[in-house]
Amino acid sequence: MADAVIVGAGPNGLAAGVILARAGLSVEVYEAGDTVGGGCRTAELTLPGYHHDICAGAHPMAAASPFFRAFDLAAHGVELCTPEVSYAHPLDGGVAGLAWRDLDRTVAGLGRDGAAWRRLFGPLVRHWAGVVELTMSDLRHPPLNVGVGVRLGRRLLEQASPLWDLRFREDTAAALFTGVSAHAILPPRAFAAAGVALMLGTLAHVDGWPVPRGGSQAIVDALTADLVAHGGRVVTGHRVESLDEFTGTRTILLDTAPAELLRVAGDRLPARYTRRLERFRYGSAACKVDFALSGPVPWLAEGCDRAGTLHVVGTRAETVAAEKAVAAGEHAQRPYVLVIQPSTLDDSRAPAGKHTLYTYAHVPHGSTRDVSAAVIAQIERFAPGFRDLILAKHVYTAADLPAYNPNYIGGDIAAGAMTTLQVPFRPALRWNPYATPLPGVYLCSSSTPPGPGVHGMSGLHAAHHALRDVFHVDTDPLTLLSSKR
């Protein structure tokens, strides 16, 4: 029997497995799907030769994460292709806000609001490592750089209050910021939404929002290869039915939603903890639509063709209206659509001269509706002629997504609503969010801090606890990652 078992081969589960294996433990990973990856898989969904990222597509958090910086993706053969424009936000009339990787260039393009953008992001960009250290922590300890915490906190309070409209005087900068905040799948003035916008917006002007050559699968394949190289074993096509399968294993880490922990633990968990997990809220959802295209998207606004990611919804007011509708359980007539155009950076994603396009629209939890017509209409609004380029499409409704990844309950790709309380206290109100009442059993999924994203940090934090509590090893996990062993 292995020293450690990981249930779920998503980025966090594999990150935990890599750390434990590098600490000298025998590690086995069990994945219900036929391939590893969880929310970080790539497949030919539309036509042969068109490679689509099924969930995670752009990776600012992987580029900045302490876990991946120590792991060194480039040294493991992963090439991150970084666009000049991290993200764009087109508006009617053929104009767009462009978040260049170069902060100065972004400021220059925002006219009267350029100076306000610099005041918002400049101090965070200068101290980006502190921003990452805080936002990707376990959210339980004060920041090492208190000044960064104060700067981030002041901006968070502003952008999560009625004061948010006082900073910008024109539509473009306001829409540019609001589009990023909607990544939280919440009405944009929510605390978590403002925090997401400040963190991702900062990273846009540091290492950018890259896409991996060949697809997001390259990241989890690199983790798997390292795990195996250090003696680990990965078993796919095996859905764990009960923790009883691992009697004798010293530690079990679950890269799963709390609902899955309840299922496999059965009546082992104390009633009080069970009630807490049962109260865990899952949030609004996504309908994923992938396209095979005969050519590049004909964006009207200059610079959109150079962006890796676009937020396609319109003005700040339109973004707010769309997200409020979804939060109320309604489908927005003009939904928020996130677009990634990886094949403009990576020619391996599609046959020569052709392109793949990644999109999802925000929809209510559990929605069974195919909203691809609304997605096409929104893109066509800012790129006339887009629909004529479509060779094929593939749709996952929100209701379809749990079959692809059981952590996406109701189509919630964040593995839990990003509410004010559920960001720091996910999955339950506990000082140690990773440990469960069962000795040696930990959660390490996006349902724990710091939350969703391909960063590996939930896995790192959980593995650190397991090493210290079960094996009495208090080595810094980042030291294990940087070792040549």
Side-chain angles (χ1 to χ4, degrees):
M1 182 61 68
D3 296 318
V5 162
I6 314 292
V7 179
N12 283 309
L14 291 170
V18 164
I19 289 167
L20 296 175
R22 281 173 170 255
L25 305 180
S26 58
V27 179
E28 292 181 349
V29 179
Y30 291 86
E31 166 59 43
D34 293 332
T35 59
V36 301
C40 201
R41 295 190 184 112
T42 304
E44 293 181 326
L45 297 177
T46 54
L47 297 171
Y50 291 81
H51 302 278
H52 303 274
D53 290 327
I54 302 176
C55 186
H59 295 278
M61 297 176 81
S65 155
F67 171 84
F68 280 114
R69 293 180 81 85
F71 180 75
D72 193 350
L73 286 168
H76 288 81
V78 179
E79 178 185 352
L80 296 180
C81 306
T82 306
E84 292 180 276
V85 178
S86 295
Y87 61 93
H89 195 114
L91 296 169
D92 293 319
V95 298
L98 304 176
W100 298 86
R101 187 174 173 190
D102 182 338
L103 177 60
D104 291 337
R105 194 168 182 180
T106 304
V107 167
L110 290 176
R112 292 198 303 162
D113 284 330
W117 191 269
R118 186 188 299 280
R119 286 193 297 272
L120 181 64
F121 281 109
L124 302 181
V125 170
R126 287 194 296 275
H127 300 281
W128 68 268
V131 173
V132 168
E133 180 267 325
L134 176 57
T135 58
M136 295 194 195
S137 71
D138 63 3
L139 306 182
R140 293 296 187 278
H141 298 86
L144 296 176
N145 188 327
V146 176
V148 169
V150 171
R151 293 184 187 95
L152 189 62
R154 280 174 25 209
R155 287 159 174 78
L156 177 61
L157 289 173
E158 173 198 302
Q159 292 301 315
S161 78
L163 298 176
W164 81 329
D165 268 330
L166 298 182
R167 180 175 289 271
F168 301 123
R169 292 174 289 177
E170 298 179 343
D171 289 341
T172 304
L176 191 64
F177 184 89
T178 312
V180 187
S181 70
H183 279 244
I185 321 184
L186 291 169
R189 230 178 63 192
F191 271 98
V196 165
L198 290 168
M199 188 266 288
L200 292 180
T202 298
L203 298 183
H205 303 306
V206 181
D207 287 321
W209 290 15
V211 298
R213 179 168 295 279
S216 296
Q217 187 78 43
I219 294 175
V220 290
D221 285 349
L223 291 172
T224 303
D226 188 83
L227 173 64
V228 172
H230 288 85
R233 175 171 171 257
V234 179
V235 180
T236 58
H238 181 117
R239 188 182 189 203
V240 173
E241 298 298 338
S242 170
L243 295 182
D244 292 337
E245 295 180 31
F246 308 117
T247 301
T249 299
R250 296 182 67 184
T251 190
I252 302 171
L253 284 76
L254 295 100
D255 185 7
T256 68
E260 192 71 358
L261 169 59
L262 289 171
R263 185 185 70 82
V264 299
D267 59 3
R268 289 181 171 203
L269 292 170
R272 184 177 181 185
Y273 185 73
T274 295
R275 287 193 298 271
R276 288 179 177 179
L277 295 190
E278 289 173 341
R279 288 196 295 266
F280 185 76
R281 288 179 53 196
Y282 297 93
S284 299
C287 176
K288 182 70 163 53
V289 187
D290 289 285
F291 297 96
L293 303 178
S294 62
V297 179
W299 302 106
L300 275 179
E302 184 178 352
C304 286
D305 59 330
R306 301 166 77 173
T309 301
L310 299 97
H311 306 129
V312 178
V313 61
T315 63
R316 166 173 277 187
E318 288 179 288
T319 309
V320 171
E323 293 304 286
K324 281 186 174 180
V326 170
E330 303 169 0
H331 289 85
Q333 184 176 1
R334 284 183 159 182
Y336 173 92
V337 180
L338 186 141
V339 176
I340 302 174
Q341 39 191 17
S343 52
T344 61
L345 299 161
D346 174 9
D347 59 10
S348 74
R349 300 293 187 100
K354 305 297 192 292
H355 288 270
T356 60
L357 195 73
Y358 166 121
T359 78
Y360 66 67
H362 292 169
V363 296
H365 183 91
S367 169
T368 59
R369 185 180 299 184
D370 173 354
V371 299
S372 58
V375 169
I376 293 170
Q378 282 286 65
I379 299 174
E380 183 80 16
R381 172 183 170 190
F382 302 105
F386 167 71
R387 69 175 72 248
D388 298 330
L389 300 173
I390 299 172
L391 301 174
K393 69 177 181 180
H394 178 278
V395 179
Y396 279 116
T397 69
D400 293 332
L401 283 172
Y404 155 69
N405 187 337
N407 287 359
Y408 296 161
I409 293 173
D412 174 8
I413 58 176
M418 298 285 285
T419 64
T420 301
L421 283 178
Q422 264 194 193
V423 171
F425 299 116
R426 51 200 293 135
L429 184 59
R430 293 166 62 87
W431 176 251
N432 184 341
Y434 312 100
T436 75
L438 302 178
V441 177
Y442 300 82
L443 273 173
C444 67
S445 70
S446 294
S447 299
T448 64
V454 178
H455 45 63
M457 293 302 293
S458 298
L460 178 146
H461 295 311
H464 192 189
H465 281 284
L467 282 173
R468 186 176 58 198
D469 300 344
V470 178
F471 300 97
H472 309 295
V473 174
D474 202 20
T475 305
D476 182 349
L478 296 179
T479 303
L480 294 172
L481 289 170
S482 59
S483 70
K484 297 300 181 183
R485 181 183 176 277

